Amino acid sequence: MLIGNVGQEPEVRYVDQGVAVARIRLATTERGYTLQNGTQVPDHTDWHNVILWRRLAEIVEKYVHKGDKLYIEGRIRYTTYDDKQGQRRYATEIWADNMEMLSPKSDNGLSSTNPE
């Protein structure tokens, strides 16, 4: 389970038979604090690669943008690949099973009050 902010616009593509796949970068931050002896511990931010499939990917494509706050539930997947120089690379991804948008809905500049 992760709660964080989207760091860049989502990448969405379609694979076999029109199946949508979205990739987002999600930043989670552990807030800093001060120890009893006065030592300052700064904020710490981790970046997560989140993969969403099918309907979740379609929702991401339509509604999720850089800066939005998301709640993600999923599984950790570890992958390896060889880059262009032949070096072995390792990647950790979160394959999302569930997503909730936590940012308030944009009202496109319209007021939510009803004038009389």
Side-chain angles (χ1 to χ4, degrees):
M1 293 182 279
L2 298 171
I3 294 176
N5 293 351
V6 178
Q8 62 191 40
E9 287 298 315
E11 299 172 24
V12 180
R13 59 190 170 95
Y14 289 83
V15 295
D16 299 335
Q17 293 139 4
V19 175
V21 181
R23 175 183 298 273
I24 59 174
R25 300 264 300 149
L26 193 73
T28 57
T29 301
E30 181 180 343
R31 295 289 172 215
Y33 53 93
T34 304
L35 298 174
Q36 287 183 340
N37 66 7
T39 303
Q40 296 282 332
V41 177
D43 288 356
H44 177 79
T45 300
D46 287 308
W47 288 91
H48 311 275
N49 295 311
V50 181
I51 309 298
L52 304 101
W53 290 87
R54 296 176 182 80
R55 185 69 183 135
L56 287 178
E58 293 169 3
I59 291 169
V60 165
E61 184 175 36
K62 290 181 183 177
Y63 302 110
V64 175
H65 301 286
K66 179 179 177 178
D68 286 350
K69 183 171 283 228
L70 299 178
Y71 168 81
I72 299 286
E73 289 179 5
R75 297 166 280 141
I76 296 176
R77 290 275 175 107
Y78 302 101
T79 59
T80 60
Y81 64 94
D82 294 328
D83 67 11
K84 293 178 183 176
Q85 291 78 33
Q87 296 290 319
R88 176 65 42 121
R89 300 289 181 184
Y90 301 90
T92 302
E93 300 172 328
I94 308 300
W95 283 39
D97 294 323
N98 187 26
M99 175 191 71
E100 291 185 34
M101 294 179 283
L102 302 177
S103 294
K105 292 182 182 179
S106 172
D107 60 1
N108 297 326
L110 300 175
S111 173
S112 61
T113 59
N114 188 6
E116 292 186 29

